[in-house]
Amino acid sequence: MKKILVTLMTVAFIVFGFSQVSSAASNNTYQVKKGDSLWRIANIHNITVSQLKNWNNLKSDIIKINQVLKVKSTTSTAKPASTKPASTKQSASYKTITVKASAYTASCTGCSGITATGINLKKNPSAKVIAVDPKVIPLGSKVNVEGYGDAIAGDKGGAIKGNKIDVFVPSKQTAINWGVKTVKVKVYK
């Protein structure tokens, strides 16, 4: 009887110990599922897209189903990410840049409506998203665009180079009405 009790206690200890290790590991990794994007995964784990890419040595925004990603760093504190863009009241740390801003829509012929960070603009026509040159404004950054409001830098475009942005609007007429203007953008850190 004593051998059975010791054996059961040993098995319970091993199982409990491995479940704790497994639980800790699962807190630090994420397995990509169908429909995931870097932006979505970053928001789920309260981190930035840049952190996610850095921790996983990703050179592009392409991820694959069943790919395992590190989602927490043991060396630095994750910067909170939110599904809502930062407002001037939420963060005092930002840089201001002046850019040429045009507008775009997802309802054009041949447009998929999916941004570089995986946001589906056709399903979210009220989303506040801008296309940026990632060398100037990193993808995933929270921004405030003069005349547009709080947004996320969630897309990039072939013509968006240097200090240029494209603001997403739901209709072609709204894009035409926006035109091209010089605006100030606060990029939150």
Side-chain angles (χ1 to χ4, degrees), residues 10-11 37 41 63 74 80 84 107 138 157 160:
T10 304
V11 169
S37 66
I41 295 166
I63 53 177
T74 56
K84 293 183 180 179
S107 57
I160 307 303

Side-chain angles (χ1 to χ4, degrees), residues 44-55:
I44 288 170
H45 295 283
N46 222 18
I47 57 177
T48 66
V49 172
S50 295
Q51 287 171 321
L52 189 57
K53 287 177 78 170
N54 285 338
W55 296 339

Side-chain angles (χ1 to χ4, degrees), residues 73-92:
S73 172
T74 56
T75 57
S76 68
T77 304
K79 180 179 173 185
S82 167
T83 54
K84 293 183 180 179
S87 72
T88 54
K89 294 176 188 172
Q90 293 174 342
S91 175

Side-chain angles (χ1 to χ4, degrees), residues 2-75:
K2 190 175 183 181
K3 283 183 180 180
I4 293 172
L5 185 58
V6 170
T7 303
L8 287 174
M9 288 178 63
T10 304
V11 169
F13 178 77
I14 291 171
V15 169
F16 179 75
F18 280 125
S19 70
Q20 290 296 84
V21 170
S22 173
S23 174
S26 68
N27 288 336
N28 293 326
T29 61
Y30 179 82
Q31 188 169 5
V32 178
K33 298 177 192 91
K34 184 177 181 180
D36 277 341
S37 66
L38 290 178
W39 183 82
R40 182 180 178 282
I41 295 166
N43 279 324
I44 288 170
H45 295 283
N46 222 18
I47 57 177
T48 66
V49 172
S50 295
Q51 287 171 321
L52 189 57
K53 287 177 78 170
N54 285 338
W55 296 339
N56 292 282
N57 297 318
L58 300 175
K59 304 294 182 219
S60 73
D61 297 326
I62 298 171
I63 53 177
K64 296 179 179 161
I65 295 172
N66 295 327
Q67 181 176 357
V68 177
L69 299 173
K70 294 176 190 172
V71 292
K72 278 194 177 178
S73 172
T74 56
T75 57

Side-chain angles (χ1 to χ4, degrees), residues 124-144:
N124 299 292
S126 61
K128 291 285 198 157
V129 177
I130 65 170
V132 299
D133 179 342
K135 293 177 185 173
V136 178
I137 301 174
L139 284 173
S141 298
K142 293 165 185 75
V143 298
N144 180 278

